[in-house]
Amino acid sequence: MKHIMLVEDEIELAELVKDYLEAAGYEVSMFHDGQTAYEAFLRRKPNLMLLDLMIPRMDGLTICRKVREQSDLPMIMMTARTEEIDRVLGLNMGADDYICKPFSPKELVARVQAVLRRLERKAEPEQNDLFRIDKAQQRIWYQQHALNLTPTEFRLLELFLEHVGHVYSRAQLLDHINPESYDVADRVIDSHIKNLRRKITEVAKTGHQHEWIQAVYGVGYRFEYP
């Protein structure tokens, strides 16, 4: 049974989320302040942490940073702060996903399941065998089919394949493909992503059944296997 650490200072909400998670088959330990939660994390590592951003005695971003210094534990942030900068900051600090209050407990359980599935898939070597990267030739193959990529598309897909499931903001992707691009609008990334999606779909022959590079609303993009 997978263990979920729930860090939320709204007691009624925490109890509700705990009930839904336990009904879905998870073991849940619940904490209402950051310091107690972090000390519990040091004693016993969970499979995933649900982390409120605004909690007493150690805020969510601080916990996220401290956990990331020693672990790649999956984390989903929960918060009432909906500004894009807050979402980007939480993800840049190492959170795997982000959900804004008020939210449906069913949606939260679905996100927990999705993050844990991504982690399991990342551990399966056969998934990574779908793509092969040749850095010397700046080429990427899907199975036996070479992708006809521009240098920029190669750098983007290489980054996604090496960090499957990680969410990157447009600014991060733009900085990755061209650190000197101060005057380039970050929306140019959307055009590159559109071309990458089309080229992968053409050789993978998945049609519209799977979107390899998925948009994360208000934040950026991540790569996902089917």
Side-chain angles (χ1 to χ4, degrees):
M1 181 181 294
K2 287 185 170 58
H3 171 214
I4 308 297
M5 178 178 285
L6 172 59
V7 189
E8 169 61 66
D9 64 334
E10 295 182 42
I11 297 177
E12 289 186 6
L13 175 60
E15 293 283 0
L16 179 63
V17 170
K18 181 175 183 287
D19 288 345
Y20 271 81
L21 288 168
E22 289 180 339
Y26 297 107
E27 174 192 356
V28 181
S29 56
M30 189 165 55
F31 304 90
H32 304 305
D33 73 83
Q35 185 64 42
T36 303
Y38 182 66
E39 291 170 359
F41 163 79
L42 295 176
R43 293 192 300 269
R44 182 193 176 194
K45 306 296 189 291
N47 296 101
L48 181 142
M49 182 182 291
L50 288 170
L51 182 60
D52 185 23
L53 189 62
M54 302 299 291
I55 48 176
R57 298 189 63 217
M58 187 185 295
D59 65 82
L61 288 177
T62 300
I63 293 177
C64 187
R65 175 179 55 78
K66 290 170 74 71
V67 168
R68 272 292 167 264
E69 289 173 353
Q70 55 188 298
S71 171
D72 58 358
L73 172 74
M75 286 182 281
I76 299 177
M77 284 197 166
M78 309 177 296
T79 183
R81 295 170 62 179
T82 59
E83 291 86 352
E84 180 175 352
I85 187 62
D86 293 320
R87 296 197 295 272
V88 173
L89 181 58
L91 291 166
N92 285 350
M93 290 291 289
D96 296 271
D97 203 352
Y98 199 108
I99 189 166
C100 294
K101 300 176 183 177
F103 54 77
S104 160
K106 290 183 179 180
E107 180 187 355
L108 181 59
V109 170
R111 291 194 183 212
V112 167
Q113 293 169 335
V115 169
L116 290 174
R117 276 198 306 270
R118 287 202 299 269
L119 187 65
E120 291 169 357
R121 286 175 177 174
K122 192 173 181 180
E124 296 175 359
E126 61 268 21
Q127 287 286 351
N128 294 329
D129 289 344
L130 289 174
F131 290 87
R132 179 168 59 88
I133 302 173
D134 186 326
K135 295 187 179 184
Q137 295 186 39
Q138 297 273 289
R139 301 186 71 185
I140 297 176
W141 283 263
Y142 176 86
Q143 295 183 339
Q144 303 302 316
H145 303 282
L147 295 168
N148 183 24
L149 304 177
T150 66
T152 295
E153 292 164 357
F154 171 85
R155 296 193 67 189
L156 284 173
L157 185 54
E158 177 191 30
L159 179 68
F160 282 129
L161 290 173
E162 291 181 345
H163 301 88
V164 173
H166 186 89
V167 180
Y168 289 98
S169 67
R170 291 180 177 86
Q172 287 177 308
L173 294 172
L174 190 61
D175 185 62
H176 177 73
I177 61 175
N178 185 3
E180 305 295 326
S181 56
Y182 303 114
D183 297 325
V184 179
D186 60 8
R187 290 289 174 175
V188 73
I189 289 295
D190 296 346
S191 177
H192 292 307
I193 295 296
K194 181 179 178 181
N195 290 334
L196 269 177
R197 286 170 171 163
R198 175 180 54 80
K199 291 180 180 182
I200 297 172
T201 299
E202 285 173 356
V203 299
K205 295 181 171 52
T206 55
H208 297 290
Q209 297 177 2
H210 178 69
E211 190 165 78
W212 295 88
I213 304 174
Q214 300 179 0
V216 179
Y217 179 74
V219 181
Y221 295 98
R222 67 179 165 218
F223 184 94
E224 289 286 4
Y225 285 109

